[in-house]
Every structure is written in structure tokens, then in C-alpha cells.
Amino acid sequence: MNAAGLHVAIVMDGNGRWATARGLPRRRGHEAGARTVRTTVEAAAALGVEMLTLYAFSSDNWKRPPREVGALLALFRRYLDAERARLRDQGIRLSIVGRRDRIPLSLLATIERAERETAAGTTMHLRVAIDYSARDALIDAARLASGARVTRERFAELLGEVQHGGAARDVDLLIRTGGEHRLSDFLLWECAYAELWFTPRAWPDFNAELLRSALDEFASRDRRFGALPDAAAS
Ligand code: FPP
């Protein structure tokens, strides 16, 4: 499967249940999930994916117990510190998407450093959504747009301004692990015509083979964007 030019987005769900099923604390599920992030990023880049957006922490995830939130934020920091040189060497540009005003300063500094050091990457654009809410981003962009005559293209640019990580770009394929079938406030604008692919596998058990299966199925789908297939249009 050649995934050249595609924007793939992933809701990485099921870390907690994966850990609980093994008698482990939930944070161990997130740690296993971070290892899957690394292998998935490499697999996606090898397959030619142009943009990969991963949902790591939603704005609603602040409602989780402080201990879990703290463990996740610490994990993001460790991941960025450990991976930024590897990402740079692989030509992968990293951006964090979402609000930045509630992120602890130490993590923010790590984010900015990783973004700076990988900014020249052209192989793949990896976007990690942290403190992200699609609905909040839409409200913020609408505020900027008010009064002006706004096209879809201009609105996508405004979304990029409010949520960082570049102008909003249509998602081609949205993958969700962990068995749930919902979007959970992720990339609502960008997923207007996304193909959706779900697996019951928990995120720590996701792998390159499953990514290829998702992309193979994507390639067999008939994407019409509201139009008719060629044969029916004549
Ligand atoms: C959802 O699983 C997952 C999260 C809220 C966190 C996602 C974080 C990672 C995959 C860890 C590392 C990420 C990076 C970028 C280094 P859940 O905890 O809601 O699982 P559950 O539904 O089984 O409880």
C-alpha cells in the first residue's frame, strides 16, 4: 500500500483497559501506548503518509484524576525528549496541536524545542494533539472570522492559527483503536469526508500490520465527496 499524500488521524484509545486487563496501573498502559506511537510513526512514514495526527490528550481529559493527568504530561515530555533527534534524523516535522496556555511551562519548553529542531523535516508531518478540542478550536476560529466573508479555505487557515500545527487539512483516513465508534471532539472540521476505520484492539496492541490493513481498506473505498460515481453521472 502506498499512502503517499494522505492525512491519517488516529484516536489512540484503550490504554487504560489494556493495563487493567493485565493487572497493571493505567499509567503502564499509557507507557506501552507511547512505544506504539514510536513504531506507528515509523511505519506511517515508511508507507508514505504525508501527515499523521495523533490524539494524545483532549481538553476533556483534564477531568481525569490529577495523578493520571500528571503521568500523561510527564510521559509526553519524556517522549519528546527521547524522540526529537530521531524524528529530525528521519526528516519528520513535529507539531503540537491544541491550546498552549494550560500546558505546564516545562512541557511547553520541551514542545517548542522539539518543534524547532524538527521544523525542516519534509518526509512526514507528525502532529500530536494535546489539550485539544475541535469544538473549542471551531469557536475560536469563528470568533476570528466574524464579520468577514469567509470561504472554507480561509476558515481552515483560521483554524490553523488558533490550534497551531498548520492550516486545517482534510483527514483522509481516521483510525480509532479500543473498540469505541466515536470521534470524541477530534478534528470535526477536518473529518468532514474522512473514511473511518475502527478496531477493537487496544492502542498498545496496534502495529504496522494493522496500519497497513486500514490503509488497504481505505484504498478499496469509493470516495465520492457527495458527487456521483463517474458511470452514474453520464
Ligand atoms: C486513551 O486511552 C488514551 C489517552 C487518553 C492517552 C493517549 C496517550 C498515549 C497513547 C500515550 C503516549 C502518547 C504520546 C504522544 C507519547 P484511555 O486511557 O482512555 O483508555 P481506556 O478507554 O481503556 O480507559
Side-chain angles (χ1 to χ4, degrees), residues 12-221:
M12 309 181 289
D13 196 16
N15 294 344
R17 280 166 285 159
W18 181 92
T20 305
R22 287 160 181 74
L24 299 169
R26 291 176 57 84
R27 84 180 145 72
R28 294 284 298 280
H30 296 314
E31 286 163 11
R35 292 192 285 278
T36 308
V37 168
R38 181 199 291 173
T39 52
T40 304
V41 166
E42 287 185 2
L47 286 162
V49 170
E50 188 171 315
M51 178 176 279
L52 177 69
T53 307
L54 303 176
Y55 205 7
F57 191 85
S58 79
S59 296
D60 286 326
N61 286 150
W62 292 112
K63 297 177 198 157
R64 293 195 177 196
R67 219 160 64 139
E68 180 164 343
V69 170
L72 275 169
L73 298 180
L75 183 58
F76 299 150
R77 199 167 155 207
R78 285 205 302 280
Y79 170 83
L80 293 173
D81 269 334
E83 293 299 309
R84 62 167 194 272
R86 186 200 299 259
L87 293 174
R88 188 197 52 219
D89 293 347
Q90 293 172 339
I92 297 173
R93 172 182 166 205
L94 173 95
S95 303
I96 301 299
V97 193
R99 281 179 68 160
R100 299 202 171 191
D101 56 314
R102 300 188 290 198
I103 304 276
L105 287 180
S106 53
L107 174 57
L108 196 57
T110 309
I111 287 172
E112 286 170 354
R113 180 168 182 194
E115 286 180 332
R116 214 171 34 243
E117 290 183 9
T118 61
T122 53
T123 307
M124 184 175 81
H125 190 178
L126 167 65
R127 307 191 317 154
V128 178
I130 296 177
D131 197 0
Y132 176 83
S133 156
R135 293 204 289 199
D136 288 349
L138 286 165
I139 290 171
D140 290 345
R143 223 177 257 130
L144 287 185
S146 68
R149 212 177 142 261
V150 179
T151 59
R152 289 179 179 180
E153 289 72 25
R154 177 64 189 137
F155 195 77
E157 283 171 11
L158 291 173
L159 263 178
E161 277 175 36
V162 298
Q163 70 191 4
H164 306 97
R169 192 187 139 169
D170 278 4
V171 170
D172 296 295
L173 171 65
L174 178 107
I175 294 171
R176 181 169 186 141
T177 63
E180 312 287 2
H181 295 186
R182 52 178 172 253
L183 289 179
S184 300
D185 201 12
F186 189 43
L187 303 177
L188 299 182
W189 170 277
E190 295 87 335
C191 280
Y193 279 103
E195 296 295 326
L196 310 180
W197 191 88
F198 301 102
T199 171
R201 291 267 195 112
W203 174 249
D205 290 333
F206 190 77
N207 55 32
E209 196 188 325
L210 280 171
L211 178 63
R212 270 194 300 275
S213 301
L215 286 163
D216 283 343
E217 192 182 320
F218 170 82
S220 73
R221 302 238 184 126

